[in-house]
């Protein structure tokens, strides 16, 4: 009989954590409601609907004979390719098991229980999770029009502030920060406060109003830009992302990074994905058309949404979204409720293929009428 309460032995920050809730897998929904997997549409996790690039499949096949070997712990080839593409030295790049890994590494390396970490309301769930896990104090700044209020975030900086998370574009709202706002903000942040600019959706941006974090690295050594191969590059299953920062910050991250945190198949796939420009262009095209399709469909139903620069749309149902989410599930359509982000009336819907988007819109209409 177990008499020890092991949760009581865990660190205080960990005891109070709620585990991250991922989107419901297709297989689980099929079992639950007796649906066929092919009848289910998953628009819950901001995944790329295109399926992997043929070049990526080929690269993975070529890497298979070496499965008994450890990966290249330094990710030499991928770092070289990223350095060339981004115009940064390889010493500035840290590879991660998804960009989530980078967010955790930077927090573990720099933040302790004596520090404060600033982020925005309705920002990515991982920011409060990593902050709490290291026992630091979370400072959540109220949003403005569902987006980051950078002047308010700058005003929240205290002597205890060690890090600020900014997502641009932001998940789950799709909101973005314009160049002028970001520049004014960065100029105000003390050098001892790290700014983590999370650009997981940056490859989907097709307008000039969203800044590129790479443009500010030379001027701000306290800046780290994180990016991922999970979205536009279509490699969510392989978990590979990266951070770009001053070499000094990268050096600190490498001290806490697991030696082989990015596996060989992920390294090979990311390298191939980076070189497949046609795939990225097609991903953007599908996203642009799908976004328009979702917006048009919502407008016809009289629903409003938060304008988005990502590959998803936060739709305002004007009422509690949880029952609508459940009704959609029963029909085999998986989207994302965002009540845990303080948005109980919204559903976040990933842009899918045209037929997937249509299926969602048709089922939503049916649910709203009957409900």
């Amino acid at each position: 009989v177990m008499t020890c309460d092991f949760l009581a032995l865990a660190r205080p920050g960990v005891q109070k954590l709620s585990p991250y809730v991922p989107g419901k897998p297709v297989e689980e929904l099929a079992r639950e409601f007796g649906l066929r997997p092919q009848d289910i549409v998953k628009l819950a996790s901001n995944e790329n609907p295109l399926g992997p690039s043929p070049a990526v499949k080929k690269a993975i096949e070529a890497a298979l004979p070496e499965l008994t070997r450890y990966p290249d712990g330094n990710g030499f080839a991928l770092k070289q390719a990223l350095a060339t593409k981004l115009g940064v030295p390889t010493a500035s790049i840290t590879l991660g098991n998804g960009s989530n890994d980078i967010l955790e590494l930077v927090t573990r390396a720099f933040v302790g229980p004596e520090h404060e970490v600033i982020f925005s309301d309705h920002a990515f769930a991982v920011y409060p999770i990593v902050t709490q896990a290291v026992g630091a104090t979370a400072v959540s700044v109220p949003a403005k029009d569902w987006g980051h209020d950078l002047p308010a975030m700058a005003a929240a900086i205290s002597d205890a502030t060690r890090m600020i998370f900014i997502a641009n574009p932001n998940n789950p709202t799709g909101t973005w920060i314009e160049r002028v706002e970001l520049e004014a903000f960065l100029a105000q942040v003390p050098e001892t406060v790290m700014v983590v600019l999370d650009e997981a959706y940056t490859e989907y941006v097709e307008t000039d109003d969203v800044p590129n974090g790479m443009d500010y690295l030379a001027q701000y050594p306290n800046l780290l830009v994180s990016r991922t191969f999970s979205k536009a590059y279509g490699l969510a299953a392989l978990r590979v992302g990266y951070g770009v920062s001053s070499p000094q910050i990268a050096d600190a991250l490498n001290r806490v990074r697991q030696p082989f945190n990015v596996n060989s198949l992920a390294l090979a796939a990311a390298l191939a994905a980076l070189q497949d420009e046609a795939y990225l262009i097609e991903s953007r095209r599908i996203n642009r058309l799908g976004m328009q399709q979702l917006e048009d469909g919502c407008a016809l139903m009289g629903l409003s949404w938060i304008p988005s620069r990502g590959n998803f749309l936060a739709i305002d149902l004007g009422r509690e979204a949880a029952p609508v989410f459940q009704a959609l599930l029963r029909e085999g359509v998986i989207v994302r409720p965002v009540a845990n982000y303080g948005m109980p009336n919204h559903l976040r819907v990933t842009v899918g293929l045209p037929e997937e988007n249509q299926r969602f819109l048709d089922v939503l209409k049916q649910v709203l009428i009957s409900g």
Side-chain angles (χ1 to χ4, degrees):
V1 180
M2 187 173 78
T3 52
C4 179
D5 177 359
F6 286 99
L7 191 56
L9 298 183
R11 298 188 45 143
V14 175
Q15 289 176 24
K16 294 194 202 79
L17 270 181
S18 307
Y20 178 84
V21 182
K24 196 183 264 286
V26 168
E27 298 75 16
E28 190 186 323
L29 188 66
R31 282 195 306 271
E32 208 174 315
F33 293 117
L35 300 162
R36 298 182 311 169
Q38 61 267 38
D39 296 334
I40 293 173
V41 171
K42 187 184 179 204
L43 301 174
S45 303
N46 301 345
E47 296 150 337
N48 191 322
L50 276 181
S53 133
V56 160
K57 287 184 179 173
K58 229 155 101 187
I60 289 174
E61 256 171 53
L64 289 176
E66 296 299 311
L67 282 187
T68 54
R69 309 277 175 207
Y70 283 104
D72 171 5
N74 288 318
F76 180 81
L78 180 55
K79 275 189 186 173
Q80 286 292 130
L82 282 168
T84 304
K85 190 179 173 72
L86 302 170
V88 298
T90 49
S92 290
I93 299 171
T94 309
L95 298 180
N97 184 32
S99 57
N100 262 18
D101 194 21
I102 300 293
L103 304 178
E104 189 173 351
L105 290 176
V106 71
T107 310
R108 284 228 320 268
F110 289 97
V111 181
E114 69 277 22
H115 296 128
E116 290 174 358
V117 175
I118 297 173
F119 44 82
S120 172
D121 270 0
H122 321 304
F124 187 36
V126 167
Y127 311 152
I129 290 174
V130 294
T131 300
Q132 208 170 313
V134 297
T137 303
V139 178
S140 184
V141 174
K144 189 178 172 189
D145 301 328
W146 300 109
H148 289 58
D149 184 345
L150 289 188
M153 290 174 79
I157 297 171
S158 75
D159 290 344
T161 308
R162 175 47 58 85
M163 205 152 76
I164 303 171
F165 282 112
I166 296 175
N168 200 32
N170 178 53
N171 171 33
T173 58
T175 51
W176 65 96
I177 292 155
E178 302 204 352
R179 189 173 282 110
V180 181
E181 294 176 83
L182 183 66
E183 287 170 0
F185 175 80
L186 289 172
Q188 282 181 281
V189 178
E191 199 180 30
T192 51
V193 176
M194 310 244 337
V195 176
V196 177
L197 185 60
D198 181 353
E199 295 189 332
Y201 297 93
T202 193
E203 289 83 9
Y204 283 111
V205 173
E206 299 193 273
T207 51
D208 294 335
D209 54 359
V210 184
N212 177 344
M214 299 298 149
D215 296 345
Y216 303 99
L217 287 164
Q219 198 182 345
Y220 296 104
N222 57 329
L223 176 65
L224 176 138
V225 179
S226 71
R227 291 189 176 175
T228 185
F229 284 92
S230 297
K231 311 293 182 206
Y233 287 105
L235 301 183
L238 288 173
R239 315 303 306 119
V240 53
Y242 57 96
V244 190
S245 64
S246 57
Q248 270 195 310
I249 289 175
D251 176 49
L253 302 194
N254 270 314
R255 292 164 193 243
V256 292
R257 179 178 67 82
Q258 295 289 324
F260 303 108
N261 63 331
V262 181
N263 70 72
S264 298
L265 301 186
L267 288 171
L271 186 57
L274 202 58
Q275 291 158 348
D276 190 349
E277 196 60 35
Y279 179 85
L280 194 60
I281 290 167
E282 180 61 6
S283 294
R284 280 199 195 114
R285 187 186 74 86
I286 288 282
N287 192 60
R288 182 168 62 246
L289 297 176
M291 185 70 81
Q292 192 63 56
Q293 186 184 3
L294 289 178
E295 289 182 355
D296 292 347
C298 287
L300 282 173
M301 284 183 258
L303 298 174
S304 61
W305 60 87
I306 303 171
S308 169
R309 287 282 185 269
N311 68 334
F312 55 88
L313 199 59
I315 300 169
D316 186 356
L317 300 179
R319 55 162 139 163
E320 200 196 344
V324 178
F325 165 72
Q326 290 298 339
L328 288 168
L329 275 186
R330 283 194 289 278
E331 298 297 324
V333 176
I334 315 175
V335 295
R336 192 63 180 264
V338 281
N340 61 320
Y341 285 100
M343 302 168 67
N345 291 356
H346 286 78
L347 286 178
R348 190 193 70 191
V349 183
T350 305
V351 176
L353 298 171
E355 58 274 20
E356 295 175 319
N357 301 330
Q358 198 52 54
R359 173 84 189 285
F360 159 72
L361 290 168
D362 292 346
V363 174
L364 179 63
K365 188 175 181 180
Q366 184 189 315
V367 164
L368 291 178
I369 289 168
S370 61

